[in-house]
Amino acid sequence: QVQLVESGGGLVQAGGALRLSCTYSGFTSSTYTTAWFRQAPGKGRTFVAATFRSGSSTHYAESLKGRFTISRDKAKNTVYLQMNHLQPEDTALYYCAADPSLILSSIRREEQYRYWGQGTQVTVSS
């Protein structure tokens, strides 16, 4: 049974940084794509970043490139999201997601992911 547990959210001032962690268990193959999505208040869930198939490549929402970095530590079964130069518009509930069978063209689509964590709140004050 796949489980994803996010941590690392919190309150930070604009211009600050946070690192989110997603610890996973139950992966039965090496082909899992793991991703971060976020949901701002009153809005839908949007793609942030992904590591495709156990880290063969990384992908980002265009607007977040250069500020956010996704990485994966296989020894710790953890995926990280380093977020720098945070702005109030980054305030959202951040979710970790995973799926074993995605193709590259699908990784930005939330409905393609089978497994989700419970989310961790990030609040950026101005």
Side-chain angles (χ1 to χ4, degrees), residues 1-44:
Q1 180 179 358
V2 173
Q3 289 188 320
L4 307 171
V5 179
E6 303 99 330
S7 61
L11 175 64
V12 63
Q13 288 188 331
L18 280 175
R19 188 177 77 161
L20 305 183
S21 300
C22 172
T23 301
Y24 56 84
S25 60
F27 285 10
T28 56
S29 74
S30 61
T31 62
Y32 274 77
T33 293
T34 52
W36 289 96
F37 287 78
R38 68 184 184 182
Q39 186 168 20
K43 297 186 178 180

Side-chain angles (χ1 to χ4, degrees), residues 37-116:
F37 287 78
R38 68 184 184 182
Q39 186 168 20
K43 297 186 178 180
R45 200 151 48 182
T46 59
F47 173 78
V48 174
T51 64
F52 180 61
R53 292 194 179 176
S54 300
S56 65
S57 60
T58 57
H59 305 268
Y60 297 90
E62 284 297 318
S63 62
L64 301 177
K65 277 184 180 178
R67 289 199 301 126
F68 288 19
T69 303
I70 189 170
S71 62
R72 184 168 176 173
D73 186 334
K74 294 179 184 178
K76 294 183 178 181
N77 284 358
T78 301
V79 176
Y80 301 101
L81 183 69
Q82 178 67 45
M83 307 184 294
N84 298 327
H85 305 295
L86 285 162
Q87 300 301 315
E89 53 266 33
D90 295 316
T91 294
L93 189 59
Y94 284 72
Y95 294 94
C96 181
D99 194 277
S101 58
L102 295 187
I103 58 175
L104 188 55
S105 60
S106 298
I107 64 171
R108 298 168 188 268
R109 297 167 58 185
E110 65 164 313
E111 69 274 13
Q112 298 295 314
Y113 287 83
R114 192 176 314 178
Y115 304 106
W116 291 84

